[in-house]
Amino acid sequence: MSVTTAEPRPRQRAAQRRQGGTTLTGTGTVIRFILRRDRVRLPIWIGAIVLGVVGSLPTFPETYPTAADRQARADLLDNPATIALTGPAYGTDNYTFGAMTANELLVWVAITMALMSVLLMVRHTRAEEETGRTELLRAAVLGRHAGTTAAFTVVAGANVLIGLLLGALMPAALDELSMSSSLLFGAAATSVGVVFTGVGALTAQVTEHARAATGLGAAAVGVAFALRAIGDVGTEALSWLSPIGWAQRTRVYVDDRWWPLLLSLGLTVLLVALAFAITSRRDVGAGVIQPRPGSPRAGARLSTPLGLAVRLQRGNLIGWTVGLLVFGLAYGSLASSIEEFVSENSTLQDFLGDSDSLIDGFMAMVVMMMALLAAAYGLTAVLRLRSEETMGRAEPVLATAVSRTRFAASHLVVALGGSLLLMLVGGLGLGITAAIALDDGSVFGRLFVAALAHTVGVWLVVAVAAALIGLAPQLVHLTWVVLTYGVVVGVLGGFFQFPDWVTKISPFDAASTLPGGDLGTVAVVIMGVLAVALLWIGLLGFRRRDLTTT
Amino acid sequence: MTTAIDVAGVVKTFGTVRALDGLDLRVSTGEVHGFLGPNGAGKSTTIRVLLGLLRADSGTVRLLGGDPWDDAVALHRRLAYVPGDVNLWPNLTGGEAIDLLGRLRGGLDEKRRQDLLERFDLDPTKKGRTYSKGNRQKVALVAALASDVELLILDEPTSGLDPLMEAVFTECIDEWKDDGKTVLLSSHILAEVEKLCDRVSIIRAGTIVESGTLAELRHLTRTSIHAETARAVTGLDQLPGIHDLVVEDHRVTFDVDTAQLDGAVKHVTGFGLQSLTSQPPTLEELFLRHYGDELAAEGVTTEAGAVS
């Protein structure tokens, strides 16, 4: 018996070779595993992005039927205020549907794909590691780099698929768009997504916590957006530091340049190589920064449910606060460019009277974007209530003398108070630099009112999530749909010219013309009442239902 | 004697699964009550109902004289809980978690906190996510044992503890008992329950199948007898309550229902008893007797399986 087994058969020899293995061994299995886990999530992301873009194209000819209509839109774009928000206006001399698609849509598609990539990448790397599941897999026959490689393959693959689908379907949806240019449009959007897949791979290596890794990745998206905004308005070199800037510099549908995408490719390779290098050096479960011992005793503030909620959410809130402050400061500083632009442009001066309305419109847009960001924060904060429950950490707290209501309310206070803080800090940042640029201190008061008015809409979004946590906790993530609706209507509303009611039902509409325009007082009051009712329903529901962990 | 926990006819369903199916459970004040059952029998569900984390579909639940759902906050001041699977906040240290849970309950005994940290050999400066499973368990145990309460509810509290720490835990529970306090100890470690508990309830598929003192429960089961006699024993198989009889020359081995022990031993004595060893039933046998048929169905044979 021993004689026959001593002579390995060919199949056994192959098996022995496999036993040697590389750091990539098992990648294929993990890819299939990720696809299995995300068999619903991935199609939703891909479908939503592709259908969102392709589905909107047929409305172009309806909204802008004549060349004159399109040209009027182009004239509206070619100023620092709009450029700061979307990107360099090109092809405005002959504003074709293609140029329109590139100028008005590309940046938003790219940002969506960037966020998708960061979220998915961290979900399949650091989040898995943090829960300890990676350890289980790595104890099996699995190479050190297999996890990151598999996640990168799937997420980058999803980006490529979106790009290809866009390239193939956009010409079908709008005849004027050529296939070759549409493929470049898809590739440009994909390039941003893929770079941020690499960013996600890297941030997942740096911190121990998935939440922090996602936060860092999202902050990188913000930095990329801000760099190109400042670069596009002033020093163009800054735009060349941003992957979003590179995508826009393809000048797709006008000049169709492919070469800027090489920069994205190079950066991606660099990011992934860095992620690999860190993986090779660090322990499983650890980050780059080693945890230090902490205090053996709890501080005085850590004595109440609110103290706990604040402590748990502190880092998240600080990150967002800094982000919104910088966002406000950066955009406020552009006010002087806008003023200059108007004073130099006499025809525009005749048309607008003075620079005020353009600056007001610009600031209204910036405050609206702050409100959308504050709502995103509010959602992550209120979702913490749910994750504490599902992670089993609510149970020991609720087994002490803490009522359900008090426990839930403390997380709601952080979500509501935190989003108010963000609006005020963002408004302050915008006000500081805008007041200096315009030499006009009165802007503070108006921005303060705008920030407060928008907070009500933000709170309504938080309240929707709270109500769902109380009544149907499995559905709470649907609240992201409400926020997405607000983003689409608020940011792209000017371009798409949605019917009135579509715009009006967004929680961010009532204050959308502030600080310059009028406040929809009735709408704000209605939203406030609705928010209070939903929060109350949420608390009541949370008190009455079973604690669940799924 | 007053009743600390009184559960009667409690039903709890999750979708189509009947997790608790008419459960009755009584724990008297001052006793250490073992709550035995395999995984998935409904131990944790029962405890969550007792803590007001889950709401019973029907039946009555009284805890320290109150309703665990309606009076949760007031009752929780008087009890401490250790979950079976302790999840700590990743960025809070163990010491902070202990203080937090103690304060939320209404205060910690500082001296005991320090004493327990030393006895359990726990470093309170480490962050939650760097603790091993056993150390997370210790954090929850210290938080619970350092608080000044009447009732401890422990859900498999020693899972992950090493034998040394298990011994410390046993000591702590003994002290707790000496102070006249009540403990509900859910476990599937029979030796632990046998060592610590005054009374035991065995749960199976959401129902209590056996409840009583260890002595009472032993009465319900069998004693193993091994005897050597001058003459070969005959006629033993005619007696009631005899199982697994093996007669081998002058040696005889059998199990006998505890109720029939007297008759059986008298019968054996008639053949000139030379040596006799008897083995009282262990909790393990009790346990296996109640789950033996499940094991048998799965093809596992056990000595105390009672598959007759």
Side-chain angles (χ1 to χ4, degrees), chain B residues 246-260:
Chain B
V246 180
V247 185
E248 225 178 56
D249 204 5
H250 294 273
R251 281 190 294 273
V252 62
T253 307
F254 58 93
D255 290 350
V256 55
D257 289 350
T258 307
Q260 312 294 337

Side-chain angles (χ1 to χ4, degrees), chain A residues 294-295 298-299 388 395 546, chain B residues 12 48 55 81 89 93 103 125:
Chain A
S295 165
E388 283 293 292
E395 193 178 292
D546 284 347
Chain B
K12 177 70 194 174
R48 291 199 173 110
R55 189 176 215 165
Y81 163 60
W89 299 274
T93 64
R103 286 172 190 171
T125 66

Side-chain angles (χ1 to χ4, degrees), chain A residues 152-176:
Chain A
F152 184 85
T153 309
V154 171
V155 179
N159 277 296
V160 170
L161 184 60
I162 291 172
L164 288 174
L165 284 171
L166 287 176
L169 296 177
M170 286 171 73
L174 189 59
D175 290 339
E176 284 82 352

Side-chain angles (χ1 to χ4, degrees), chain B residues 149-160:
Chain B
V149 293
E150 304 158 41
L151 170 67
L152 267 185
I153 296 182
L154 310 172
D155 193 358
E156 302 187 5
T158 55
S159 55

